[in-house]
């Protein structure tokens, strides 16, 4: 039996996933948590084979924290289960060590298949992600700019798009404010814009945020 922990902000997600897998022959939901601070305790006290993790989980400020989870609990596989843009977050999640990315619009049967494959040691991304990446490769140079962005640049861009100031982002990511300014300058350069408003609009056009 594959033991699964669901880490998500919303009770309806916990209820839906747990109800679907209630009588599943291979998968058992053994833990449900609603914020990142609970995760370490759960992984220490329960045997978790697969963690379903929403990148917007309360208290999770950086995709780099996924690396920390995997380093401390190497036997636990991580599947990102999220509503965030697949085009940008799926590849970054895999780079961070996640074993797969399943968008919340997918059927729960697809999620079940992903859990089983990941437990078998496979790295999975759904067909939508693969098709999107193939389409992106055919797009214009400007539309492919976002592929040059690092994980950290994507995170900074996301917070900037949410209206946060440099010092607020620095506090969230536990970085120096000057470092955030540097990331901001890099983003302006890479996305070929000269101000924050255009930067945010470009990011939204390219579905980076």
């Amino acid at each position: 039996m594959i033991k699964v922990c669901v880490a998500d902000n919303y009770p309806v997600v916990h209820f839906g996933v747990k109800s679907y897998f209630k009588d599943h022959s291979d998968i058992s939901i053994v833990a449900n948590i609603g914020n990142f601070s609970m995760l370490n305790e759960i992984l220490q006290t329960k045997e978790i084979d697969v963690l379903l993790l929403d990148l917007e989980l309360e208290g999770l400020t950086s995709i780099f924290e996924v690396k920390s989870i995997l380093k401390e609990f190497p036997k636990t596989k991580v599947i990102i289960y999220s509503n965030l843009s697949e085009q940008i977050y799926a590849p970054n999640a895999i780079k961070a060590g996640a074993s797969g990315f399943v968008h919340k619009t997918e059927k729960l049967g697809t999620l079940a298949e992903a859990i089983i494959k990941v437990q078998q040691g496979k790295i999975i991304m759904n067909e939508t992600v693969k098709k999107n990446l193939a389409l992106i490769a055919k797009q214009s140079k400007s539309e492919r700019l976002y592929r040059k962005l690092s994980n950290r640049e994507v995170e900074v861009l996301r917070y900037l798009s949410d209206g946060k100031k440099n010092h607020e982002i620095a506090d969230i990511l536990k970085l120096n404010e000057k470092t955030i300014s540097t990331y901001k300058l890099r983003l302006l350069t890479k996305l070929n814009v000269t101000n924050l408003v255009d930067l945010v609009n470009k990011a939204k056009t390219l579905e980076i945020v």
Side-chain angles (χ1 to χ4, degrees), residues 2-6 27-31 48-52 115:
I2 303 172
K3 300 178 180 65
V4 176
C5 171
V6 180
I27 298 168
S28 176
I29 308 299
V30 299
I48 304 296
D49 298 312
V50 177
L51 170 66
L52 296 183
I115 291 170

Side-chain angles (χ1 to χ4, degrees), residues 86 101 106 110 125-133:
E86 295 169 293
F101 186 107
E106 292 287 349
T110 300
M125 286 191 291
N126 64 37
E127 288 304 314
T128 302
V129 174
K130 293 176 183 176
K131 289 178 182 177
N132 284 344
L133 292 176

Side-chain angles (χ1 to χ4, degrees), residues 35-189:
N35 59 69
F36 189 70
S37 63
M38 299 169 64
L39 184 56
N40 194 63
E41 181 182 351
I42 287 293
L43 292 176
Q44 286 181 339
T45 57
K46 291 194 175 186
E47 182 182 337
I48 304 296
D49 298 312
V50 177
L51 170 66
L52 296 183
L53 177 65
D54 190 339
L55 289 177
E56 296 183 292
L57 180 69
E58 181 182 344
L60 178 62
T61 59
S62 169
I63 198 168
F64 287 93
E65 292 182 273
V66 175
K67 288 185 177 181
S68 299
I69 294 169
L70 293 167
K71 185 176 181 180
E72 189 170 355
F73 305 98
K75 293 183 180 180
T76 299
K77 304 289 196 307
V78 174
I79 293 176
I80 303 302
Y81 188 49
S82 179
N83 272 323
L84 291 173
S85 171
E86 295 169 293
Q87 286 183 323
I88 189 66
Y89 285 96
N92 284 347
I94 300 300
K95 289 177 184 177
S99 296
F101 186 107
V102 177
H103 199 272
K104 285 183 177 177
T105 55
E106 292 287 349
K107 294 179 180 179
L108 287 171
T110 300
L111 179 61
E113 293 173 5
I115 291 170
I116 292 170
K117 289 179 181 178
V118 162
Q119 181 61 14
Q120 293 171 344
K122 298 176 182 178
I123 304 295
I124 62 101
M125 286 191 291
N126 64 37
E127 288 304 314
T128 302
V129 174
K130 293 176 183 176
K131 289 178 182 177
N132 284 344
L133 292 176
L135 287 172
I136 290 163
K138 298 177 182 179
Q139 290 173 347
S140 67
K141 183 178 179 181
S142 62
E143 291 174 314
R144 287 186 279 112
L145 283 173
Y146 83 88
R147 300 180 71 187
K148 298 179 181 179
L149 304 185
S150 68
N151 290 340
R152 185 65 85 186
E153 287 167 346
V154 170
E155 289 172 341
V156 171
L157 182 52
R158 181 180 169 196
Y159 287 122
L160 287 171
S161 298
D162 285 341
K164 289 184 169 53
K165 306 298 183 184
N166 286 11
H167 68 89
E168 293 176 310
I169 301 172
D171 288 340
I172 293 170
L173 298 180
K174 297 179 175 60
L175 294 172
N176 187 286
E177 188 174 345
K178 290 183 178 179
T179 302
I180 301 302
S181 295
T182 299
Y183 281 123
K184 185 175 176 180
L185 287 172
R186 288 180 187 172
L187 287 165
L188 291 169
T189 300

